[in-house]
Amino acid sequence: MAWKFHNNTPIYIQIMDEIKLRIAKGVLKPGDKVPPVRELAITAGVNPNTMQKALSELEREGVLYSERTAGRFVAKILWGDNNLKENMSLKYVEAYASNMRELGYEKEDMLHALKIYLEDQEGY
């Protein structure tokens, strides 16, 4: 099944975000082998060059690492203090705050809206 992409962000960045999300959620764990570029490209429904660019950027960021003949793996260093998960959550919070500011909400209004939303959701 192809991954879902939107038009307002380059696809390679969306791929990077999806892989980071899978790591943060624990779907991919430190030391796990990442499937080969072509396999991931087919799964995601993208050009292998796009997938290669995303994986190379993840390596540059230290999210993945390569072993010359064995492939790519999830980096272990990220899990010491949950940096990746915290960074991703901050990105979501920044998007929420930015969108709410565009609607004219102040800090207290944002907190109130979020509190109401969470109270209305089952399990919170």
Side-chain angles (χ1 to χ4, degrees):
M1 181 172 120
W3 299 1
K4 294 188 181 198
F5 300 107
H6 49 81
N7 293 329
N8 52 348
T9 306
I11 291 175
Y12 83 95
I13 291 174
Q14 294 178 65
I15 291 169
M16 291 172 64
D17 288 345
E18 177 63 28
I19 291 171
K20 288 177 184 177
L21 180 63
R22 291 178 184 193
I23 294 168
K25 290 167 75 175
V27 174
L28 291 171
K29 296 181 178 16
D32 280 357
K33 184 172 183 182
V34 177
V37 171
R38 291 196 188 285
E39 183 180 326
L40 277 174
I42 290 168
T43 302
V46 299
N47 184 297
N49 293 332
T50 303
M51 185 60 69
Q52 177 62 40
K53 182 173 183 176
L55 296 178
S56 293
E57 283 297 309
L58 289 169
E59 276 188 59
R60 189 185 61 72
E61 290 181 3
V63 175
L64 303 177
Y65 68 93
S66 287
E67 290 186 3
R68 187 169 177 173
T69 58
R72 283 189 175 97
F73 298 85
V74 176
K76 295 175 181 156
I77 194 166
L78 295 171
W79 291 88
D81 57 4
N82 278 337
N83 256 348
L84 182 61
K85 194 171 190 174
E86 289 173 16
N87 289 340
M88 292 195 70
S89 67
L90 181 58
K91 181 178 176 179
Y92 292 135
V93 170
E94 287 173 352
Y96 171 76
S98 175
N99 289 333
M100 295 301 277
R101 265 190 236 106
E102 284 184 29
L103 291 173
Y105 280 69
E106 297 293 328
K107 179 178 158 181
E108 295 78 23
D109 300 325
M110 289 180 210
L111 292 170
H112 181 70
L114 183 58
K115 181 180 177 188
I116 289 171
Y117 173 79
L118 291 174
E119 287 172 353
D120 287 345
Q121 299 301 304
E122 267 187 58
Y124 284 99

